[in-house]
Amino acid sequence: VHFDKGCYPGQEIVARLKYRGQVKRGLARARTDGPVAPGDKLYRPDGTASVGDVLRVAADGAAWRVLAVVDFDARSTPLHLRDVQ
C-alpha cells in the first residue's frame, strides 16, 4: 500500500485502520438451541449494550447455526438475545 499515490481500492478501510486504531469486530460462528433470526442483536448476560449482530442463520436439526459479527472482547463470554433471559 502506498499512501502518497491517489485513490485505490480499499483506501477508506486502510485509512480507518491507520488513523482510528484497530478492528474491533469480527465474524464468529455459534450454535444455539433457540430460534434466532438475521438482524437479532447479541448481548452479554450482564450488559445492556449490543455486542453483536446476527448475519445468517441455518437450521441444523433441533439446533441453529449462526454467523454473527461480534466484538472481539465479547467472544469468550456466553451471549444471549435481548428477550431471552
Side-chain angles (χ1 to χ4, degrees), residues 18-48:
K18 181 178 179 185
Y19 296 109
R20 288 193 166 189
Q22 56 182 306
V23 177
K24 294 173 179 62
R25 300 181 111 197
L27 287 176
R29 293 182 300 163
R31 193 176 186 137
T32 181
D33 294 333
V36 63
D40 285 349
K41 302 284 185 191
L42 299 172
Y43 298 86
R44 288 187 177 122
D46 60 346
T48 57

Side-chain angles (χ1 to χ4, degrees), residues 25 36-37 39-54 66 68-71 73-85:
R25 300 181 111 197
V36 63
D40 285 349
K41 302 284 185 191
L42 299 172
Y43 298 86
R44 288 187 177 122
D46 60 346
T48 57
S50 169
V51 294
D53 300 299
V54 175
V66 177
V69 176
V70 180
D71 292 353
D73 63 347
R75 287 182 135 183
S76 61
T77 61
L79 301 177
H80 65 86
L81 300 171
R82 185 103 162 102
D83 56 358
V84 177
Q85 295 295 331

